[in-house]
């Protein structure tokens, strides 16, 4: 029996939709195609991956706290940082961003009953889960897990240098998670193109949805390239080909070109969803519309377009790339990113800012990403890259950026938690978690920049020749442990909250977008009723018809909020 | 559908032009191929959407429609289904076959086939009721 | 920026004019505040953690770095200031709904155009430093072949087939270079990708199998520079040490012609280094007891 959703213009009294007559218990979990269930699956699994990757980081930092550490052996260390990076990027950041909150929120934000292809959505999750298990299985096989860095450069990843099953498990895991991502990309684009509610034109979509649309397109453009590269690597390892093998006429640099052609769009695939979350949160807690909505949309599209053309800025030191082209393109990306920053500031300007935990996390994101972005500009200059590449300067740069994403992700969780569960995460614990996460991130990265400038290379198990680097490394480790502690606080908050009663109504933050129009949590197929959609803030317009967004030259006093008689709640 | 078409077409053309400039300037083959391929990958669906956007009626979500305008059947949203899980397990086994030995493919390939058949039949049948 | 006034109902028009003037004044004051100490201390611009190094190119790279850091600090500092200022100044004071401004077109144009100009300048100065750095002279007075392998280095000197130095990990093989002459380096790898990096040169490049990289280095200071591989290359990546010994060009050529093999060449070079007198700035790292196999 096909399912029909009839949009209603009045409240629906019959709440029979609430009763799920389908399978229950574990069968429900195995067979659910509901985007909300799948989104939560992704979120929980990815946060488990965050904790696993974080545990690896804690061991790495323990090893690096002394110059000649013996917490792990050299071989184990290579596995640790490889798996730390791989778990964090392939198994946490991506899936959390486009499989977790996006899966849950995008259909609701556009007034759709589900994703366009619910069964494909479920398949995406199972491929992701099995891919995660596959990668971690590397620790159980002879030879250990993959140990050639999360980037897997040939020839280090070929059959000669990485002979064990751990490397093949890594490749296999990436094939599974790669297809998982591709299917999610298909779902995102199809859903956003075809399932929007009446009246929701493209330029009335929430910015989070816009960002997810662009992310979905980027996934479709980039991931197949990685898949192809991985298949070729597997072929080199097992089918006797010599694609990346210099000793038989192959080209090792081809791996780098292919990998980074995927790799740079990948970091924007990771970043754009979190940009989107923060862009939703800042206007809501400033009680203003997003400043420069159209500019934000165009900036996002420009970033995506440019991101396909900058890949070789990861390869400046290979001596084989066209330096000025990639340097120039990389500089160009900073312009739309700057536009976003000023739009975020503009959204706060003149507002009435409420410092909830979500807003604090959003501000922490801004500041941390600013640091990462500025150091990215430095790295875009080849002469400056020549002496910082492969040092802790780069490590600090990308950790600035990814910690910003984690902080932004926490903002998204705190913001949408009441919508998803009907409960509020504890604000006091949340704010404490924020300070540990934000200050810990800063304390972690700042010594890293200095260490890189002093010449400390990355992927070093020991720095025996330079005991004077120990103090900075110890500071960095303390920052990392603060981050770890903040994660514990989050888990505590989560467990405590799930035991507390459901107190959240449909729109506790007086927010703007459609998901805040429906109940908390949303019913099966998401909406009993939909409002008329005439702007990018349908829920705000419904509750505050007297406070529409203004263009800058609108000085009509009667357009001031509250000027009209009896502003509704 | 016009905005969607412009988005894809714009991206595709931008990347294609970038690829041509890169190709002429760098004379480097792999990047040129990847950029031009990416451009084409944006242009194909972009042209398709552009073609159809000129020939189709405006949808409710492209106008100032009211909710009533979009009433009625939205689409088919199959409720619970076991086939994604089975297909996922089949794919997993296939990947493990790549790692541990082709004997696993003996289990994987029938599983995948079975799941695809089941999912197709389910799609024809209309799928499980979602409530 | 935007109209920050909270009650434009009284005087909407002049509110805009009034705050724009005060905004301009504030921005000028801000710029003065930031630039003045910088200009006053322009005699010694801080290094921000990097060093000028010991080659022609490294000095220019250092200056480029300083310029970038100053620009980054100004732009980043301004942005940070705006974030923190907005967060504090516009914190919630009442439940009144603030003015729902969504677009101020001229400001948006401004913060599109100004970063574009800044970025254009940064790109230009990058090219000015980069082109000489990657250029190669036609007839270099000195040449050296560097071959990286798991997990050590081999240095050989074209024209002197008897002279080559090989060493693995903590053997810390020595690479001898002349001071005051351009040394043409040829770099390749026998197996996986390795990173040739010398901090004091502010430079690194990959050693790759099947690829022969060529670059020039012009060292201008006598000394010993401890280095190591920087691109992950397997189990002993952390220990793939090498050392650069830079001696006056005359000594360099003398040692080359007089030495019979790699060992005598290096010994001759170390002797020249020691006798280079007060001009020598040793960046020799303590090696006793530190270089031991680990793991």
């Amino acid at each position: 029996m096909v399912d029909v959703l009839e949009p209603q213009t009045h409240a629906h009294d019959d709440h029979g939709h609430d009763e799920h007559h389908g399978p229950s218990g574990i069968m429900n979990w195995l067979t659910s195609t509901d985007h909300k269930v799948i989104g939560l699956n992704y979120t929980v699994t990815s946060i488990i991956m965050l904790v696993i990757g974080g545990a690896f980081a804690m061991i790495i930092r323990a090893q690096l706290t002394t110059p000649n550490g013996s917490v792990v052996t050299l071989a184990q260390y290579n596995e640790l940082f490889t798996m730390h990076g791989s778990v964090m990027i392939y198994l946490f950041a991506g899936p959390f961003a486009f499989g977790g909150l996006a899966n849950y929120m995008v259909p609701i934000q556009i007034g759709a009953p589900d994703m366009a292809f619910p069964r494909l959505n479920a398949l995406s999750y199972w491929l992701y889960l099995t891919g995660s298990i596959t990668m971690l299985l590397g620790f159980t096989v002879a030879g250990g897990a993959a140990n050639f860095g999360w980037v897997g450069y040939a020839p280090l990843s070929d059959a000669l240098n990485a002979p064990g099953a751990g490397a093949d498990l890594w490749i296999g895991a990436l094939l599974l998670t790669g297809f998982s991502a591709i299917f999610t990309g298909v779902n995102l684009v199809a859903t956003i193109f075809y399932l929007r509610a009446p009246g929701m034109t493209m330029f009335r979509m929430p910015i989070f949805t816009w960002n997810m649309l662009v992310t979905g397109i980027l996934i479709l453009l980039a991931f197949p390239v990685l898949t192809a590269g991985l298949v070729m690597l597997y072929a080199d390892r097992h089918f006797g080909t010599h694609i990346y093998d210099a000793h038989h006429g192959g080209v090792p640099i081809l791996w780098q070109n292919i990998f980074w052609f995927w790799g740079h769009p990948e970091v924007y695939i990771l970043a754009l969803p979190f940009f989107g979350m923060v862009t939703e949160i800042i206007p809501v807690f400033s009680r203003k519309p997003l400043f420069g909505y159209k500019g934000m949309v165009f900036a996002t599209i420009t970033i995506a377009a440019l991101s396909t053309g900058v890949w070789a800025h990861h390869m400046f030191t290979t001596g084989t790339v066209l330096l000025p082209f990639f340097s120039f393109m990389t500089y160009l990306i900073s312009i739309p990113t700057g536009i976003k920053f000023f739009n975020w500031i503009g959204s706060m300007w003149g507002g009435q800012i409420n410092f909830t935990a979500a807003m604090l996390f959003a501000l922490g994101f801004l500041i941390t990403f600013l640091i990462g972005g500025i150091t990215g500009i430095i790295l875009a200059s080849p002469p400056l890259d020549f002496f910082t590449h492969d040092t802790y300067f780069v490590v600090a740069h990308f950790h600035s950026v990814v910690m910003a994403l984690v902080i932004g992700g926490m903002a998204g969780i705190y913001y949408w938690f009441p919508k998803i569960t009907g409960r509020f995460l504890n604000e006091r614990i949340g704010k404490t978690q924020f300070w540990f996460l934000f200050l810990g991130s800063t304390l972690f990265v700042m010594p890293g920049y200095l260490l890189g400038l002093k010449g400390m290379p990355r992927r070093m198990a020991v720095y025996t020749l330079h005991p004077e680097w120990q103090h900075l490394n110890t500071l960095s480790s303390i920052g990392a442990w603060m981050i770890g502690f903040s994660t514990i606080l989050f888990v505590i908050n989560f467990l405590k909250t799930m035991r507390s009663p459901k107190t959240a109504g449909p729109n506790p933050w007086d927010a703007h977008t459609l998901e805040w129009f429906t109940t908390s949590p949303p019913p099966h197929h998401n909406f009993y009723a939909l409002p008329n959609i005439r702007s990018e803030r349908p829920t705000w317009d419904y509750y505050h018809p007297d406070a529409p967004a203004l263009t800058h030259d609108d000085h009509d006093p009667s357009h001031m909020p509250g000027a009209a008689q009896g502003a509704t709640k | 559908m016009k905005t969607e078409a412009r988005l894809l077409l714009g991206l595709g053309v931008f990347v294609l032009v970038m690829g041509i400039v890169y190709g002429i300037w760098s004379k480097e083959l792999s990047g040129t191929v990847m950029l031009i391929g990416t451009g084409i990958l944006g242009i194909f669906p972009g042209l398709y959407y552009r073609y159809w956007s000129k020939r189709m009626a405006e949808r409710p979500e492209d106008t100032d429609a009211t909710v009533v305008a979009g009433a009625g059947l939205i689409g088919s949203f199959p409720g619970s289904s076991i086939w994604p899980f089975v297909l996922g397990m089949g794919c997993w086994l296939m990947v493990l076959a790549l790692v541990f030995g082709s004997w696993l493919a003996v289990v994987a390939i029938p599983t995948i086939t079975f799941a695809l058949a089941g999912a197709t039949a389910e799609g024809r049948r209309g799928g499980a009721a979602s409530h | 920026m935007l109209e920050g006034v909270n009650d434009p109902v009284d005087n909407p028009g002049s509110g805009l004019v009034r705050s724009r003037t005060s905004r301009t004044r504030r921005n000028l004051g801000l710029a003065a505040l930031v630039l003045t100490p910088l200009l006053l201390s322009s005699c010694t611009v801080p290094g921000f953690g990097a060093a000028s190094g010991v080659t022609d190119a490294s000095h220019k790279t250092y200056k480029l770095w300083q310029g970038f850091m100053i620009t980054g600090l100004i732009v980043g500092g301004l942005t940070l200031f705006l974030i923190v200022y907005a967060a504090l100044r516009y914190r919630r004071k009442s439940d009144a709904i603030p003015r729902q401004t969504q677009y101020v077109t001229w400001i948006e144009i401004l913060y599109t155009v100004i970063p574009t100009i800044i970025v254009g300048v940064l790109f230009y100065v990058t090219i000015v430093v980069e082109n000489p750095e990657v250029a190669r002279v036609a007839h270099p007075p000195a040449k050296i072949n560097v071959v990286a392998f798991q997990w050590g280095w081999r240095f050989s000197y074209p024209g002197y087939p008897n002279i080559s130095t090989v060493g693995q990990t903590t053997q810390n093989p020595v690479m001898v270079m002349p001071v005051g002459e351009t040394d043409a380096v040829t770099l390749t790898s026998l197996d996986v990708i390795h990173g040739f990096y010398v901090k004091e040169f502010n430079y690194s490049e990959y050693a790759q199998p099947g690829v022969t990289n060529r670059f020039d280095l012009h060292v201008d200071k006598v000394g010993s520079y401890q280095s190591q591989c920087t691109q992950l290359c397997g189990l002993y990546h952390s220990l793939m040490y090498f050392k650069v010994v830079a001696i006056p060009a005359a000594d360099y050529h003398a040692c080359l012609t007089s030495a019979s093999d790699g060992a005598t060449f290096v010994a001759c070079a170390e002797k020249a280094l020691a006798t280079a007198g007060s001009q020598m700035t040793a960046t020799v790292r303590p090696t006793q007891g530190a270089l031991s196999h680990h793991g």
Side-chain angles (χ1 to χ4, degrees):
Chain A
M1 185 176 95
V2 292
D3 209 73
V4 173
L5 175 70
E6 281 181 70
Q8 313 274 350
T9 48
H10 54 275
H12 197 80
D13 292 321
D14 169 20
H15 290 275
H17 293 289
D18 278 347
E19 300 185 23
H20 205 84
H21 296 302
S24 60
I26 187 131
M27 273 310 282
N28 183 33
W29 184 63
L30 289 179
T31 61
S32 176
T33 59
D34 184 339
H35 72 103
K36 296 190 286 297
V37 174
I38 297 171
L40 286 176
N41 285 344
Y42 260 101
T43 306
V44 170
T45 308
S46 63
I47 292 194
I48 293 175
M49 293 299 137
L50 171 68
V51 171
I52 293 177
F56 296 159
M58 299 296 112
I59 304 175
I60 291 173
R61 289 317 313 177
Q63 167 77 3
L64 289 178
T65 313
T66 57
N68 211 359
S70 51
V71 176
V72 289
T73 64
L74 289 184
Q76 287 169 335
Y77 190 80
N78 285 0
E79 286 176 48
L80 268 180
F81 64 70
T82 300
M83 295 302 281
H84 166 73
S86 300
V87 167
M88 284 305 198
I89 295 178
Y90 302 115
L91 306 184
F92 157 65
F96 179 91
F98 52 74
L101 285 179
N103 230 329
Y104 196 108
M105 282 304 159
V106 166
I108 310 181
Q109 282 202 329
I110 60 173
D114 203 320
M115 282 283 207
F117 304 114
R119 291 181 300 174
L120 189 66
N121 205 8
L123 176 64
S124 284
Y125 174 69
W126 297 116
L127 292 176
Y128 161 57
L129 180 65
T130 55
S132 306
I133 297 173
T134 305
M135 191 182 282
L136 292 169
L137 274 179
F139 284 112
T140 64
V141 297
N147 59 4
F148 34 68
W150 79 277
V151 295
Y153 278 8
L156 194 59
S157 51
D158 67 17
L160 180 63
N161 290 290
D168 293 313
L169 285 169
W170 183 87
I171 295 175
L174 292 191
L175 290 175
L176 288 168
T177 54
F179 277 106
S180 166
I182 291 173
F183 295 149
T184 300
V186 168
N187 247 323
L188 281 170
V189 177
T191 305
I192 294 172
F193 274 8
Y194 288 105
L195 290 182
R196 301 196 303 279
M200 184 171 283
T201 62
M202 288 285 280
F203 282 99
R204 289 183 185 154
M205 296 198 303
I207 280 288
F208 179 68
T209 300
W210 257 114
N211 280 31
M212 291 320 302
L213 173 63
V214 176
T215 303
I217 296 175
L218 263 185
I219 289 175
L220 294 176
L221 295 178
F223 267 84
V225 174
L226 176 69
T227 309
L230 287 167
V231 169
M232 294 198 285
L233 181 65
Y234 184 84
D236 262 20
R237 289 174 61 85
H238 294 283
F239 295 153
T241 58
H242 298 287
I243 301 170
Y244 304 122
D245 179 2
H247 298 302
H248 292 89
V251 185
I253 295 186
L254 181 62
W255 167 264
Q256 290 182 56
N257 273 308
I258 292 179
F259 180 86
W260 286 117
F261 191 85
W262 163 86
H264 198 82
E266 159 74 356
V267 309
Y268 288 102
I269 291 168
L270 299 185
L272 289 182
F274 296 100
F275 283 0
M277 288 179 211
V278 165
T279 315
E280 296 277 344
I281 292 170
I282 291 181
V284 165
F285 291 107
S286 308
R287 307 209 82 205
K288 286 179 65 222
L290 171 65
F291 184 80
Y293 174 94
K294 280 217 166 96
M296 280 304 227
V297 171
F298 285 116
T300 307
I301 298 172
T302 309
I303 288 176
L306 286 170
S307 74
T308 61
V310 299
W311 77 92
H313 68 218
H314 302 270
M315 298 164 60
F316 279 157
T317 59
T318 60
T320 62
V321 302
L322 183 59
L323 299 175
F325 176 87
F326 292 106
S327 170
F328 180 68
M329 285 298 170
T330 310
Y331 282 131
L332 285 186
I333 291 198
S334 67
I335 298 169
T337 312
I339 292 175
K340 280 181 176 271
F341 260 93
F342 293 118
N343 282 343
W344 285 321
I345 294 172
S347 302
M348 289 196 287
W349 206 272
Q352 294 270 11
I353 302 176
N354 184 6
F355 287 105
T356 56
M359 185 63 179
L360 272 185
F361 279 111
L363 288 172
F365 164 87
L366 285 191
I367 297 175
T368 315
F369 197 86
L370 179 65
I371 300 173
I374 301 268
T375 53
I377 307 264
I378 291 172
L379 291 166
S381 172
L384 300 181
D385 182 73
F386 289 156
F387 76 91
T388 51
H389 179 69
D390 272 339
T391 69
Y392 262 79
F393 189 88
V394 174
V395 175
H397 157 73
F398 65 70
H399 278 94
S400 291
V401 176
V402 299
M403 287 318 305
L405 300 188
V406 171
I407 297 174
M410 284 297 154
I413 292 180
Y414 275 78
Y415 177 59
W416 275 315
F417 205 84
K419 174 56 53 183
I420 297 174
T421 64
R423 303 172 175 92
F424 292 95
L425 281 168
N426 182 286
E427 283 284 303
R428 188 117 61 87
I429 300 181
K431 291 180 184 179
T432 314
Q433 178 200 346
F434 164 74
W435 286 111
F436 272 97
L437 180 58
F438 175 64
L439 294 176
S441 301
T442 312
L443 186 59
F444 170 63
V445 300
M446 287 308 186
Y449 289 118
L450 285 173
L451 280 169
L453 293 170
K454 288 183 190 302
M456 179 168 174
R458 62 187 290 196
R459 299 175 174 142
M460 290 277 133
V462 293
Y463 47 95
T464 326
L465 291 189
H466 296 275
E468 71 276 11
W469 292 344
Q470 179 172 6
H471 293 141
L472 286 174
N473 267 296
T474 308
L475 278 178
S476 216
S477 298
I478 295 176
W481 294 326
M482 284 172 69
I483 296 172
F485 179 67
S486 82
T487 314
I488 296 177
L489 284 180
F490 173 69
V491 173
I492 292 175
N493 200 353
F494 174 78
L495 293 173
K496 177 183 152 77
T497 303
M498 290 314 282
R499 289 191 220 178
S500 59
K502 291 189 186 187
T503 56
N507 191 6
W509 308 125
D510 200 10
H512 302 174
T513 43
L514 257 189
E515 74 269 29
W516 300 102
F517 191 78
T518 189
T519 59
S520 304
H524 195 59
H525 286 171
N526 300 336
F527 287 93
Y528 295 125
L530 282 171
N532 278 336
I533 297 167
R534 292 290 174 269
S535 81
E536 80 280 2
R537 300 194 298 167
T539 304
W540 175 271
D541 289 343
Y542 181 84
Y543 286 113
H544 301 281
D546 60 324
L550 305 170
T551 57
H552 79 290
D553 50 5
D554 184 338
H555 295 298
D556 187 342
S558 71
H559 289 174
M560 259 303 285
Q565 187 97 13
T568 58
K569 184 235 172 263
Chain B
M1 215 85 232
K2 291 201 183 67
T3 312
E4 290 89 328
R6 281 193 205 121
L7 173 63
L8 286 174
L9 214 46
L11 271 176
V13 168
F14 183 97
V15 176
L16 184 71
V17 169
M18 195 164 52
I20 293 172
V21 169
Y22 175 75
I24 296 175
W25 190 2
S26 74
K27 303 188 205 11
E28 191 267 316
L29 191 59
S30 69
T32 310
V33 169
M34 289 191 285
L35 279 174
I36 292 185
T38 304
I40 294 175
L41 202 52
I43 291 176
F44 262 2
L47 282 178
Y48 174 86
Y49 282 127
R50 185 157 175 271
Y51 178 86
W52 282 109
S53 69
K54 292 189 201 290
R55 286 163 180 75
M56 57 192 262
E58 280 210 313
R59 307 172 297 167
E61 57 264 39
D62 290 329
T63 63
D64 272 350
T66 60
V67 173
V68 178
L73 181 64
I74 292 180
S76 153
F77 298 97
S80 34
S81 166
I82 189 66
W83 299 119
F85 176 72
V86 179
L87 186 54
M89 292 303 118
C91 293
W92 188 26
L93 285 173
M94 197 63 217
V95 163
L96 291 177
L98 289 176
V99 180
F100 292 121
S102 39
W103 60 270
L104 274 168
V106 172
V107 184
I109 293 178
T111 310
I112 293 176
T113 317
F114 184 48
L116 286 174
T120 314
E122 181 186 60
R124 291 235 172 102
R125 222 176 32 241
S130 54
H131 62 272
Chain C
M1 267 241 176
L2 307 176
E3 301 89 275
V5 289
N6 281 327
D7 54 349
V9 180
D10 294 334
N11 226 333
S14 61
L16 174 62
V17 173
R18 187 181 350 125
S19 59
R20 188 191 285 166
T21 317
S22 65
R23 192 188 327 127
T24 313
R25 257 190 248 126
R26 193 174 56 219
N27 284 348
L28 278 175
L30 184 63
L33 199 62
V34 170
L35 286 173
T36 309
L38 280 173
L39 291 167
L40 287 175
S41 66
S42 62
C43 332
T44 47
V45 180
F48 302 112
S52 189
V54 303
T55 70
D56 271 6
S58 77
H59 303 316
K60 295 203 200 92
T61 300
Y62 176 66
K63 287 216 170 36
L64 186 70
W65 159 261
Q66 291 175 305
F68 266 70
M69 278 302 292
I70 292 174
T71 311
L73 282 172
I74 293 179
V75 171
L78 176 68
T79 312
L80 180 64
F81 171 77
L82 287 171
I83 295 172
V84 175
Y85 176 83
L88 294 177
R89 164 95 165 81
Y90 297 108
R91 64 190 183 283
R92 181 177 61 175
K93 299 178 186 75
S94 73
D95 277 333
I97 296 177
R99 189 175 166 80
Q100 302 285 287
T101 314
Q102 196 178 38
Y103 293 99
V104 183
T105 313
W106 70 267
I107 286 183
E108 293 179 64
I109 294 178
L110 198 68
Y111 60 63
T112 309
V113 168
I114 291 186
T116 308
I117 295 175
I118 294 178
V119 149
V121 171
L122 291 179
F123 179 67
Y124 173 74
V125 294
T126 292
I127 295 295
V128 163
V129 170
E130 176 183 313
N131 283 350
E133 189 173 22
V134 301
R136 295 178 288 201
V137 302
H139 302 289
K143 296 188 214 167
I144 183 165
N145 288 342
V146 180
V147 175
F149 57 91
Q150 282 170 322
W151 285 278
W153 305 87
R154 184 175 83 220
F155 306 109
S156 56
Y157 302 85
Y160 301 91
N162 292 341
I163 301 178
S164 104
T165 315
V166 178
Q168 290 195 69
T169 64
T170 50
Q171 292 172 340
N172 207 15
V174 172
M175 172 178 172
V176 183
M177 299 180 71
V179 171
E181 274 181 2
T182 301
D183 201 350
V185 181
T186 307
L187 181 65
T188 190
S189 163
L190 294 181
D191 37 52
V192 299
I193 303 177
H194 300 269
F196 174 89
Y197 164 79
V198 182
K199 174 189 175 290
E200 287 83 357
F201 296 171
N202 283 342
Y203 191 75
S204 74
E205 191 151 329
Y206 279 174
Q208 295 161 121
V211 172
T212 305
N213 277 336
R214 262 280 291 118
F215 54 93
D216 286 349
L217 292 170
H218 186 112
V219 184
D220 58 23
K221 198 177 209 179
V222 170
S224 163
Y225 311 115
Q226 180 62 48
S227 308
Q228 59 184 129
C229 169
T230 48
Q231 173 61 19
L232 178 67
C233 54
L235 186 58
Y236 291 105
H237 165 62
S238 311
L239 302 174
M240 201 167 140
Y241 304 136
F242 70 98
K243 187 166 70 175
V244 174
V245 166
I247 53 178
D251 295 327
Y252 172 83
H253 289 289
C255 286
L256 262 183
T257 42
S258 68
S260 55
D261 62 11
T264 47
F265 177 56
V266 170
C268 173
E270 303 259 17
K271 199 153 89 117
L273 179 69
T275 57
S278 59
Q279 294 219 340
M280 178 186 87
T281 303
T283 44
V284 182
R285 302 296 175 193
T287 58
Q288 295 90 324
L291 292 176
S292 55
H293 259 286
H294 174 82

